Structure formats: structure tokens, C-alpha cells
Amino acid sequence: MYKLIKPLLFQFDPEIIHYVVTGALRRVNRIWGVKSFLKNLYQLEDQQLAREVFGLKFKNPLGLAAGFDKNASMIEELAQFGFGFIEIGTVTPLPQPGNEKPRMFRLPQDDALINRMGFNNQGVDVVAARLKQVDRKGLIIGGNIGKNKLTPNEDAVSDYIKCFDRLFDVVDYFVVNVSSPNTPGLRELQEKEPLKHILNILQQRNNKNQVSRPILLKIAPDLTNSQLDDIIEIVMETKIAGVIATNTTISRDDLLSSENLKKESGGLSGKPLTARSTEVIRYLSEHSNKSFVIIGVGGIHSPEDAIEKIKAGASLIQLYTGFIYEGPGLVKRILKGLL
């Protein structure tokens, strides 16, 4: 069914059609019987798929990556497609509109997207209030947090603290996003000292609570091996739960799309990222002696891609661009492949 409607959907601006489709999904879900229909069509439940990772019980290892549901406005609807966990955000302390439009571009020849959204979201207070109302039904929810565009890097830690404190009671784990290429200067926070400072402060705050939350770091695929070695050292030293590998790339190597598309600024996701994200997962896993959890994301468009990520060292995996190009049926196909 998705193959039939995909050409029509791809005729429209990707950001506009995203809101049209998700809005329609919310409305359709109010119709009696639709939820049961979608559950029967898309979900695959099997105890063999269950995983316990950083102390949390996942009904399956396949999640939806941050960026698809930035404002936690459709978690229950998306959960019907069979995800074991959903990551919301990136959320910032204050609402912000993001970068100027157009800011998302399809590269159909490459099964890829370029986005320069810029952390557009409704702010942490709105997201936290919305998450309190979610009927989880065993679903794990992650909170991806970042800094506001106008917050200088020297004050960035205060933004991460605000998001951490506000979301602490309504998410199951946190992701510190310092790797998006779409907020000016953000990637500078991946450098060793500023990154250690942010993670140590969050861990200190985490350890003051009776119940702590796993904290993960989302990293760029563009890091060198030396920088990856620094990431391993930082994760071990700060004792955070692990790493999400990887975010979008600024590379435009070996793309088939037009030069005009390749010149668009922003982060590239999809199939061109498949091999590199797997390389990063394998490097982190092998050079850390599997000492921490890795969530693999980047270019998963088939069960084979997912299995490759897990073999490389990922404990959990996430979809984003593959979900858009392949449709919601990809979730069930991957889970069948894992079984």
C-alpha cells in the first residue's frame, strides 16, 4: 500500500507532507477499530525480540530515532507501527522556530534526505506536559536534548540541565545531542573538554536522584578515529550508559543526486550513511571492548542493514529515513529478519 501512495507523497514538500500525514494519522486513530487494525497489520510481538539494555526492558530492539516526533505529539500513534521504543526531540529549554524554510530535501536517487531543521520545537515545558499524558503500554521513551540556538557554547550546560531536570520524570533515558550540524557551533561541544564538562554535570545531577536515568551521547559520523578514541575515553570516564552512532553527516561523497541538491547545507541521512555508521559502531565496540551500550542508527533500509548494525556491536537500532522511504511495513520486516 505504501508503495502505491509514496509517489504521490513525494510530489509535495517533505516538511509539509510530514505534518499532513501525521495529522491525518492522529485523526484516523480516533475512528473505532483503526487502532486494532493497525496493530494487527504492523506489530510483531515475540518474547525472543525482548531486550534488557542499561536496566530497561525493551519489547524489541527497534526504535524510532529523534527528529520524527520532535514535540512528543504522536507517540501513541507511532507506537502502533511496532516500535520497541521512541525517542522524542531534539528538545530545547525555550521554544524555537528552527531555520528558514525550505529546510528539508529529498534525494530519491540516493534514498536520502538532507535536513537543516535547526532544533525546531515547542520547548521543554510543552513536551514534558504532553509526555505526562502518554499511555505507554510498555513503550520505552527517550528524550533527546539540546541547546537553544542563541545560547552561547560557554553557557550550553545550563540548557542541557534545564531539559534534563524538566524531562526527568517523563522519559526513560536521555540523549545528549551535540552532533547536529544545523545549530551554529554545536559540534564544537563534541571536543573533549566541553563534552566532559556537560556529561559530568548531568551525571552529578543524575546521581542525586533516588532513580537515575541512562544518559547516552549522540555522535557525528564525521569524527576521525582519534576523535572516536576520545569519545570512548569520555564515556568510560563519565560513566554514561553509552553512545548513539550516528547522527547525520556533512559529507556529500559518492551521491548520485544533482549538484544543486548536493550543495544544500545540512545533515545527510539515509542509504549513503549505511556503511559509515556501521564502521563507527564497529570501531567503538571493538576499541572499547564492548564496555558500553551502542544504539545503531544511520541508513537502515532493510532487515539486512539492521542485522549488520547488530553484528557490528549495536544493542539497539533506530530508524528515521528508512521509515520514510520504505514505509511503516519496514518495522515488521526488520523484526522478522531479527527473529
Side-chain angles (χ1 to χ4, degrees), residues 2-12:
Y2 187 74
K3 286 181 180 178
L4 292 175
I5 65 170
K6 177 180 162 184
L8 175 63
L9 299 179
F10 275 37
Q11 294 298 310
F12 299 93

Side-chain angles (χ1 to χ4, degrees), residues 85-104:
F85 63 109
I86 290 176
E87 193 173 304
I88 58 93
T90 298
V91 181
T92 55
L94 299 175
Q96 59 182 28
N99 295 321
E100 289 185 10
K101 299 176 183 179
R103 53 194 180 182
M104 181 174 280

Side-chain angles (χ1 to χ4, degrees), residues 67-125:
F68 198 93
D69 189 10
K70 291 175 180 292
N71 296 304
S73 60
M74 50 181 306
I75 289 176
E76 293 176 29
E77 291 84 356
L78 289 168
Q80 291 169 24
F81 294 120
F83 291 108
F85 63 109
I86 290 176
E87 193 173 304
I88 58 93
T90 298
V91 181
T92 55
L94 299 175
Q96 59 182 28
N99 295 321
E100 289 185 10
K101 299 176 183 179
R103 53 194 180 182
M104 181 174 280
F105 307 88
R106 295 187 198 92
L107 288 71
Q109 288 179 279
D110 296 290
D111 286 335
L113 295 172
I114 290 174
N115 94 81
R116 50 171 181 264
M117 304 300 286
F119 290 174
N120 56 307
N121 74 105
Q122 295 172 344
V124 72
D125 288 335

Side-chain angles (χ1 to χ4, degrees), residues 6 27 54 75 107 118 152 190 194 196 214 223 260 319 332:
K6 177 180 162 184
R27 288 190 292 274
F54 41 68
I75 289 176
L107 288 71
Q190 287 185 122
K196 278 168 58 177
L223 300 178
N260 285 341
L319 298 179
K332 195 171 188 176

Side-chain angles (χ1 to χ4, degrees), residues 16-28:
I16 291 173
I17 204 66
H18 173 83
Y19 290 113
V20 169
V21 170
T22 54
L25 182 61
R26 278 194 295 271
R27 288 190 292 274
V28 166

Side-chain angles (χ1 to χ4, degrees), residues 232-296:
I232 292 170
E233 182 184 328
I234 290 166
V235 172
M236 303 288 279
E237 185 177 323
T238 59
K239 295 182 173 60
I240 63 170
V243 167
I244 296 187
T246 61
N247 211 322
T248 57
T249 179
I250 55 175
S251 170
R252 299 292 187 267
D253 294 342
D254 304 319
L255 294 181
L256 301 174
S257 298
S258 70
E259 290 300 320
N260 285 341
L261 275 174
K262 287 191 278 189
K263 288 177 183 176
E264 294 290 353
S265 63
L268 177 76
S269 62
K271 280 191 178 180
L273 197 51
T274 305
R276 178 55 187 163
S277 64
T278 303
E279 285 175 8
V280 172
I281 292 165
R282 184 173 291 110
Y283 188 95
L284 292 174
S285 179
E286 291 177 354
H287 286 75
S288 70
N289 198 26
K290 300 181 179 179
S291 297
F292 50 80
V293 171
I294 300 171
I295 299 180

